Amino acid sequence: MEATPYCRVTEKPIESVPVPNYTDVEHGTWKLLLDKALGLVEGRACAPFIEGTRLIDFPRDRIPALRDVSARLQGATGWKLTRVEGLVHPTDFFKLLARKIFPSTDFIRKREDLDYTPAPDMFHDLFGHTPLLTNPDFTEFFEAFGKYGALAADKYPETHPVHAQLQRIYWFTVEFGLINTPQGLRAYGSGSCSSPEEMQHCVSDKCRKHPFDLTIMSERDFDIWHLQHDVFVIDSFQQLGREFRDWAQKHVGAPD
Ligand SMILES: [Fe+2]
């Protein structure tokens, strides 16, 4: 029997989860990644993302404990983290988001994978995702995404097209979305903000920018192996939430 690529969600309280005994090399990997990413966010990432990094106040010289980041989120928006070993099944993932819980790994990539790791590690999960989990406008959308995703999982078989559509929307918003600001286009996607190459690429002329359109993005395939060539631009997190809920009402149905 083939092993499933998804890990189980055990959901122990984050305060009771032991912090791994990271090596000095692993702490050094975190420092290298964080220094590089923080050096690139100004003028490229959106203000709420940058404010989120300040609010969480990631330690520079050592890997943070998930429980400490989770406490910062709880104070800001009521969200919290749960530890997972790797990718979780989309149904489990949506059900966690619907309860304002974000699953994070606690392993860090190997030094030889410094610039890119195909399997998301804790730098991607923490630096990429948690800053915006301090922003109520973004989390309102993210929670709605979880509720509709969980509803779709309950209502439709795995082969139904709505599941792939939700994955694509997630990719083009949460992972690689851009936002219009008075200062110019800025990234809010976790995949862009946690990857130095993507961070520079996504706001450059090398990447095609498209107006936000959920019908188009829900039908566009994405590429997980290369820099993104097509990105979608929102005007605000309120627009993202409003238009997503309209789309989801039509394609998924009304949540409770
Ligand atoms: Fe991600």
Side-chain angles (χ1 to χ4, degrees):
M1 200 169 122
E2 258 184 53
T4 168
Y6 297 116
C7 66
R8 281 181 53 229
V9 178
T10 50
E11 256 199 87
K12 290 193 189 114
I14 199 71
E15 297 75 19
S16 71
V17 174
V19 178
N21 200 7
Y22 299 112
T23 65
D24 287 346
V25 171
E26 288 172 321
H27 285 301
T29 300
W30 171 268
K31 180 173 166 48
L32 281 170
L33 290 166
L34 187 68
D35 284 349
K36 201 163 181 184
L38 285 175
L40 287 169
V41 291
E42 290 294 340
R44 295 185 181 91
C46 65
F49 182 91
I50 295 173
E51 282 157 25
T53 64
R54 291 189 187 126
L55 208 151
I56 294 169
D57 196 17
F58 294 110
R60 296 294 281 249
D61 295 338
R62 63 182 168 79
I63 295 173
L66 297 190
R67 65 178 74 144
D68 294 339
V69 177
S70 187
R72 294 291 168 111
L73 301 184
Q74 275 209 283
T77 55
W79 276 64
K80 56 187 179 179
L81 300 179
T82 192
R83 176 192 172 271
V84 290
E85 290 187 355
L87 278 181
V88 300
H89 190 279
T91 303
D92 294 334
F93 183 66
F94 293 141
K95 288 184 176 174
L96 289 171
L97 298 187
R99 292 166 48 221
K100 301 172 46 160
I101 299 169
F102 185 75
S104 175
T105 52
D106 63 357
F107 67 89
I108 191 123
R109 69 193 68 181
K110 300 238 177 307
R111 194 59 76 87
E112 56 266 31
D113 298 329
L114 210 53
D115 288 329
Y116 184 71
T117 166
D121 69 340
M122 67 182 308
F123 186 76
H124 171 82
D125 289 340
L126 294 187
F127 188 82
H129 284 278
T130 63
L132 280 189
L133 298 183
T134 65
N135 182 281
D137 293 326
F138 182 81
T139 53
E140 198 182 322
F141 153 74
F142 210 34
E143 187 183 344
F145 194 91
K147 286 183 175 161
Y148 281 105
L151 181 65
D154 286 342
K155 254 174 106 166
Y156 301 110
E158 284 203 14
T159 50
H160 192 283
V162 75
H163 301 301
Q165 290 169 342
L166 284 165
Q167 293 296 327
R168 295 182 189 119
I169 291 171
Y170 186 88
W171 184 265
F172 289 117
T173 59
V174 177
E175 291 290 345
F176 291 101
L178 292 189
I179 185 166
N180 260 319
T181 78
Q183 292 75 39
L185 293 181
R186 297 288 185 269
Y188 68 91
S190 54
S192 310
C193 294
S194 64
S195 154
E197 257 192 305
E198 279 288 359
M199 183 85 272
Q200 296 171 87
H201 175 76
C202 73
V203 291
S204 76
D205 295 340
K206 291 176 200 143
C207 181
R208 286 187 292 266
K209 320 294 189 300
H210 302 279
F212 182 59
D213 186 319
L214 285 162
T215 305
I216 292 175
M217 69 171 74
S218 66
E219 296 301 334
R220 184 185 283 268
D221 286 330
F222 57 84
D223 179 354
I224 65 167
W225 294 106
H226 302 98
L227 289 171
Q228 303 300 303
H229 291 302
D230 294 277
V231 293
F232 292 84
V233 184
I234 60 170
D235 288 326
S236 65
F237 294 139
Q238 288 92 339
Q239 177 205 23
L240 175 61
R242 191 178 58 244
E243 294 195 23
F244 173 73
R245 279 190 295 273
D246 288 348
W247 181 91
Q249 288 275 347
K250 276 190 217 129
H251 293 81
V252 181
D256 295 336

